[in-house]
Amino acid sequence: MLKILKYSFYDLIKSRWSYIYLLFYLLLSFVLLFLNNDIGKAVITLMNVIIILVPLIGTIFGIMYYYDSKEFTELLLALPLKRSSIFLGQYLGVSLSLSMSLIIGLGIPFISYGLFQSAVIFDFIQLIVVGSFLTFIFTALSYNIGLMNENKIKGFGFSILVWLFLAVIYDGIFLSVLMIFGDYPLETVTLVGTIFNPIDLARILILLKLDISALLGYTGAVFKSFFGGASGSFLAMGILFIWAVLPIWLIKYKASKKNF
Amino acid sequence: MKTKAQYRHLIFSLIILLVFYKAEANIHKVCSTCPFQTIAEAVDKAQENDVIFVEDGTYVEHEILIDKPLTLKTKNAIVDGDNQGEIFVIKADNVTLDGFTLINVGTSYIRDYAAIRVRESKHFTIQNNTIKNLFFGIYIEKSKTGKILNNKIYGKAVSEYNSGNGIQLWYSDDIEIADNYVEKVRDGIYLEFSNNCTISDNISKNNVRYGLHFMFSNNDLVQNCSYISNGAGVAIMFSKSMKMLNNTFADNWGSAAYGVLLKEVNDTELSYNTFKNNTTGINIEGSNRVVYKHNDFISNGWAINSRGANYQNEVNYNNFLNNSFDLVYSGRMNSNNFNSNFWSSYTGYDLDKDGVGDVPYRPVKLFSYVVNKTPEAIIFLRSLFVDLIDFSEKVSPVFTPDNLMDETPSMKKIKHDTN
């Protein structure tokens, strides 16, 4: 598995798209920090970008790489290798290289603007960790979609739909539910609702760390008491972890069952 | 026409004045080797209008009752109340208290112990004092025409129920409160049933509840003050005809923090103030004919939260810069006016170049409308979905109040000193 991971990883590192992705983050954070020197504010703005863009890039990269390396995968399948190690190796290669672009692309500008001296270092680390989790989650989701659909167009369409659903449509449905049942106490419902969407969960985790959380009022206080402490952080990370592990396990399961 | 009695009164007071003018004020010194070793003793023995000069040192005394017109001065004397109760109690007119450092006022849950209490007195001056480790700082009750100048009050309050106020006025009129610094008490400055007071150039910081608090007080003027990191900067309740000019409200940040909290306030003016980094800039409830002009709202969570039952308020010529929400509004229009402001999120155009946008601006975003109806929806703050619905609502308003808009939004940031 490690060999395949290494191969995929280097394959992607050498590809143009990783560089463009890395360059995009470098540019984005340098411009943000250049426009306002306040690292805390830059973290907030970055959060907006990361919450939307990281899942999208993860989804598209994942599905693209799956279809792209299909012939190579079929070649590997002919060799005496474990199926799970082939697919998991490829998947980990993609997600690791994407996470690396994210970490380096955001890390270099922030460090050069004095991240280590500032108070927001933990917020920034959380941003990076959450961003990496989102990469792993959405790449895994798109890999699953790839495994389920031979048709490239269908696969692309589905994976974009999944992203759209979790980034936008889910919130719309959720918000309508909240408005319809506005007369009832909804704190628990909102809490549960966010757990079922990694993008919402990631957004709220970062929001709670920033001082903008004061705007969240009573609902925010409920969230803070749930996610705020050390145990809450672990819990939230655990949920994100489950969100990542479940699709990965599904990749393994699907790969072992699939007829090529 | 002056009556005979009034003339008689005038002559009488002239004579009194002459008598006092002739009588020379004695100066008594207090120190460990002086004839008077305690302040209480000196006050007791002094004649009216004498001056008591307290030499540097620490005096452990409490309940020093000043019942005649006196001037008490010191350079660096410290009076230690030993947590026994009040330190100075003034019950006479024309008393001046200058330059003392007062420490260790007793805490009581039955009586409001104060470092300096003024009771039913006129023409007092309390200046250049420093108060530390206090329950209440300066407590003025049923007094008139006094001055509280340049005092510094450093509290250690943590919670509301066991802390007192820095400067408290109760049934006291025509008091001037200027150049004071108050931190970490319950209410920095608290006025109850106090009219015609001037509060200027004070700084209130890090107070547990309010920087400045008015209850049932009318015709007061607040100017050039700073309120930073309090529970709420200024709370005005059940008052009318107030004026607040040139104040700064900053960093009053927390889940229930406000720059200014108005409740049942009528005929009041708030102008030329700066609201920066507050969770809510101004929270308005049941207030009528209040004028908000030439204020700057910068980077607040909510710039203005109008909670309803507000009639005929005027919000004009203000700058709204980078607030998460410019306006939250409940209820009907009620002849409130939001015209001629500058909104940093305004995206209209000005074809005839007269500096006024040609498209009306709607300060209430759909999301703030939704949050107002369903508070839990606030967890969608900064999600893509919310940005999308806000955008679509901006293009074609459906839900937000139809007539709530700025019909003449300014294209440029308003310069307050010129127009």
Side-chain angles (χ1 to χ4, degrees), chain A residues 83-116:
Chain A
R83 274 192 171 194
S84 60
S85 61
I86 295 172
F87 285 97
L88 287 185
Q90 279 184 353
Y91 159 73
L92 288 177
V94 178
S95 9
L96 278 179
S97 77
L98 284 179
S99 313
M100 216 181 69
S101 300
L102 178 78
I103 293 167
I104 295 173
L106 297 185
I108 291 174
F110 273 82
I111 287 169
S112 67
Y113 268 79
L115 174 72
F116 291 124

Side-chain angles (χ1 to χ4, degrees), chain B residues 253-364:
Chain B
W253 191 266
S255 51
Y258 306 96
V260 172
L261 183 67
L262 299 181
K263 190 177 169 66
E264 309 278 335
V265 175
N266 296 330
D267 302 296
T268 287
E269 185 189 343
L270 278 92
S271 297
Y272 299 98
N273 301 295
T274 304
F275 299 85
K276 199 172 179 186
N277 293 331
N278 304 292
T279 314
T280 305
I282 306 183
N283 192 72
I284 315 164
E285 211 176 322
S287 299
N288 308 320
R289 299 176 300 280
V290 180
V291 175
Y292 308 86
K293 278 185 180 155
H294 294 289
N295 300 294
D296 284 333
F297 298 89
I298 306 166
S299 303
N300 301 290
W302 287 272
I304 296 180
N305 189 348
S306 174
R307 291 201 185 255
N310 302 314
Y311 290 81
Q312 295 173 35
N313 296 294
E314 290 171 23
V315 182
N316 307 126
Y317 308 108
N318 302 292
N319 287 318
F320 290 85
L321 310 172
N322 307 319
N323 303 295
S324 292
F325 302 99
D326 287 331
L327 180 64
V328 181
Y329 195 88
S330 310
R332 295 160 182 271
M333 269 312 291
N334 301 338
S335 340
N336 292 314
N337 183 333
F338 292 93
N339 285 341
S340 304
N341 298 291
F342 173 75
W343 313 84
S344 63
S345 46
Y346 179 62
T347 49
Y349 47 81
D350 178 22
L351 282 184
D352 49 4
K353 304 275 178 212
D354 60 351
V356 176
D358 299 346
V359 189
Y361 177 73
R362 293 169 188 279
V364 178

Side-chain angles (χ1 to χ4, degrees), chain A residues 174 178 184-194 216-223, chain B residues 375-377 379:
Chain A
F174 192 7
L178 287 188
Y184 300 91
L186 292 169
E187 276 73 33
T188 334
V189 179
T190 47
L191 214 57
V192 173
T194 44
L216 298 182
Y218 177 66
T219 317
V222 171
F223 272 80
Chain B
E376 289 85 0
I379 55 150

Side-chain angles (χ1 to χ4, degrees), chain B residues 135-332:
Chain B
F135 187 44
F136 280 74
I138 301 171
Y139 199 126
I140 316 287
E141 56 178 89
K142 296 199 168 173
S143 300
K144 269 186 182 157
T145 51
K147 287 179 181 164
I148 303 171
L149 312 170
N150 203 18
N151 300 289
K152 292 183 171 59
I153 299 175
Y154 304 97
K156 288 179 185 164
V158 182
S159 49
E160 276 183 29
Y161 71 92
N162 60 356
S163 52
N165 302 327
I167 299 172
Q168 172 147 355
L169 271 59
W170 188 66
Y171 280 110
S172 297
D173 297 345
D174 304 299
I175 310 285
E176 185 188 342
I177 303 173
D179 300 303
N180 298 289
Y181 177 89
V182 187
E183 70 168 31
K184 288 190 187 161
V185 291
R186 184 173 59 193
D187 289 348
I189 302 171
Y190 179 37
L191 282 79
E192 196 170 350
F193 304 107
S194 297
N195 306 325
N196 302 315
C197 295
T198 307
I199 298 164
S200 51
D201 301 289
N202 300 291
I203 298 174
S204 279
K205 249 187 189 174
N206 301 326
N207 295 301
V208 179
R209 198 166 64 181
Y210 305 130
L212 170 62
H213 188 184
F214 292 101
M215 283 290 232
F216 312 104
S217 298
N218 306 325
N219 299 309
D220 296 317
L221 168 67
V222 182
Q223 59 185 2
N224 304 324
C225 295
S226 299
Y227 301 94
I228 298 162
S229 305
N230 303 293
V234 175
I236 310 182
M237 300 177 182
F238 310 102
S239 300
K240 60 186 180 190
S241 307
M242 313 288 277
K243 261 188 187 168
M244 305 190 67
L245 311 170
N246 292 312
N247 301 292
T248 304
F249 305 88
D251 302 314
N252 298 300
W253 191 266
S255 51
Y258 306 96
V260 172
L261 183 67
L262 299 181
K263 190 177 169 66
E264 309 278 335
V265 175
N266 296 330
D267 302 296
T268 287
E269 185 189 343
L270 278 92
S271 297
Y272 299 98
N273 301 295
T274 304
F275 299 85
K276 199 172 179 186
N277 293 331
N278 304 292
T279 314
T280 305
I282 306 183
N283 192 72
I284 315 164
E285 211 176 322
S287 299
N288 308 320
R289 299 176 300 280
V290 180
V291 175
Y292 308 86
K293 278 185 180 155
H294 294 289
N295 300 294
D296 284 333
F297 298 89
I298 306 166
S299 303
N300 301 290
W302 287 272
I304 296 180
N305 189 348
S306 174
R307 291 201 185 255
N310 302 314
Y311 290 81
Q312 295 173 35
N313 296 294
E314 290 171 23
V315 182
N316 307 126
Y317 308 108
N318 302 292
N319 287 318
F320 290 85
L321 310 172
N322 307 319
N323 303 295
S324 292
F325 302 99
D326 287 331
L327 180 64
V328 181
Y329 195 88
S330 310
R332 295 160 182 271

